[in-house]
Amino acid sequence: MLQVEHLSKSYGKGKRRKPVLHDINLTVGKGELVGIVGESGSGKSTLARLIMQLEPVDEGKISFLGSDNFYASNQIVFQNATAALNPSWTVRNILREPLRMMKRNRDAYISTMLGKVGLEEKHLDRRPSELSGGERQRVNLLRSMLVEPKLLICDEIVSNLDRLIQKEIVELIRQLNRETGMAILFISHDLKIVQHLCDRVYVMEGGRIVEESVKRDGGFSFTHPYSLLLFE
Ligand SMILES: Nc1ncnc2c1ncn2[C@@H]1O[C@H](COP(=O)(O)OP(=O)(O)OP(=O)(O)O)[C@@H](O)[C@H]1O
Ligand SMILES: [Mg+2]
């Protein structure tokens, strides 16, 4: 459903020009759980921003198959939930916002969805500062989920959370993928999590995809030296 072909991106002009992505090719199938791993600065978030059309590409093509409304079909969740949520709004208003086109039963729908991400009614009247980091990320996730996207991009969404909460959110992602059938592109530098969660993974190094691996018998196998180093 997502197809990225020969994508390249540089920042800066003239002598300052700095290539960040080189000839990226990737796909995400319907309902697939795909990972992208790579060290800091390898270009993962840049790739995510380009896919979400938050920035123009230099070269290459990004296509979405079978999605008519780009903004309703594709959602992204970022690492920093605090920055993503309006601090002066209550959770209720944050969650109502993506549903503004919905005329009726908005609050009933929000109520039924709350439980799916492990939140309760009592959280609705709070502001983001009155939530824990894990709860904030659940609100962030739910906000993106309410429009029932076909593709959800998660960019380091568990990186600032402690291990236990990480585990809960990762299980939540898996469950949402199973229940709703939405495809997920899960970006992380945490190999353990990606290995646990994803069916297929791309390894990025210095703006290139150096290897792709499909999970077999519960694990990935790699041949590229950089992947071996990462997954060692
Ligand atoms: N707007 C920008 N202008 C100039 N350079 C940028 C810009 N955004 C990113 N870069 C550079 O592009 C490179 C890739 O950054 P990116 O944020 O995509 O990496 P990342 O893989 O997401 O890293 P991390 O794991 O730390 O989040 C870095 O060298 C970064 O400095
Ligand atoms: Mg990043």
Side-chain angles (χ1 to χ4, degrees):
M1 60 167 301
L2 167 68
Q3 191 167 13
V4 174
E5 294 166 280
H6 305 297
L7 188 73
S8 296
K9 177 79 180 172
S10 301
Y11 286 115
K13 288 210 171 78
K15 276 189 179 163
R16 294 238 181 97
R17 191 174 165 90
K18 190 179 159 242
V20 174
L21 296 175
H22 312 261
D23 195 26
I24 299 282
N25 293 286
L26 71 83
T27 58
V28 179
K30 204 169 168 234
E32 219 187 348
L33 234 170
V34 178
I36 297 182
V37 291
E39 65 193 358
S40 184
S42 57
K44 305 182 296 296
S45 296
T46 303
L47 177 57
R49 288 196 303 272
L50 295 187
I51 292 173
M52 289 305 294
Q53 306 186 4
L54 299 172
E55 280 180 49
V57 309
D58 289 351
E59 275 171 64
K61 199 172 139 199
I62 299 170
S63 3
F64 296 90
L65 312 169
S67 57
D68 33 356
N69 179 348
F70 174 82
Y71 294 98
S73 301
N74 306 288
Q75 291 283 314
I76 187 163
V77 184
F78 294 105
Q79 170 175 1
N80 191 341
T82 310
L85 303 173
N86 188 330
S88 60
W89 285 14
T90 59
V91 170
R92 190 188 309 279
N93 285 333
I94 288 169
L95 296 176
R96 275 176 179 166
E97 203 275 335
L99 300 173
R100 61 194 175 280
M101 307 299 278
M102 194 170 158
K103 294 274 178 291
R104 296 210 255 147
N105 303 335
R106 208 159 54 153
D107 289 347
Y109 176 55
I110 289 173
S111 291
T112 56
M113 293 297 283
L114 269 182
K116 286 206 191 295
V117 298
L119 290 169
E120 296 167 44
E121 293 284 333
K122 67 178 183 195
H123 295 116
L124 287 176
D125 294 314
R126 299 202 198 154
R127 287 169 218 287
S129 61
E130 296 159 342
L131 300 171
S132 71
E135 288 163 351
R136 270 200 288 272
Q137 197 55 287
R138 287 169 206 268
V139 171
N140 206 11
L141 199 57
L142 179 53
R143 183 181 56 169
S144 297
M145 291 273 316
L146 288 173
V147 295
E148 298 177 341
K150 295 196 176 73
L151 172 69
L152 182 71
I153 301 182
C154 300
D155 188 3
E156 305 276 4
I157 64 164
V158 296
S159 302
N160 282 341
L161 306 171
D162 66 46
R163 270 281 167 198
L164 192 69
I165 308 294
Q166 278 187 349
K167 243 181 127 180
E168 285 179 16
I169 302 245
V170 165
E171 283 321 312
L172 185 61
I173 292 285
R174 189 203 297 280
Q175 199 183 330
L176 292 172
N177 169 257
R178 281 203 194 124
E179 281 181 10
T180 67
M182 69 176 168
I184 295 175
L185 186 59
F186 192 87
I187 299 174
S188 178
H189 60 262
D190 193 319
L191 309 168
K192 265 200 178 137
I193 291 179
V194 170
Q195 206 147 12
H196 176 69
L197 181 68
C198 300
D199 307 320
R200 196 157 61 82
V201 66
Y202 292 100
V203 180
M204 275 184 79
E205 180 193 17
R208 296 173 200 274
I209 288 178
V210 294
E211 189 159 20
E212 177 192 351
S213 178
V214 177
K215 196 186 256 173
R216 291 227 167 76
D217 304 322
F220 295 113
S221 54
F222 297 101
T223 54
H224 190 280
Y226 179 73
S227 318
L228 293 173
L229 196 76
L230 272 185
F231 278 85
E232 181 162 82

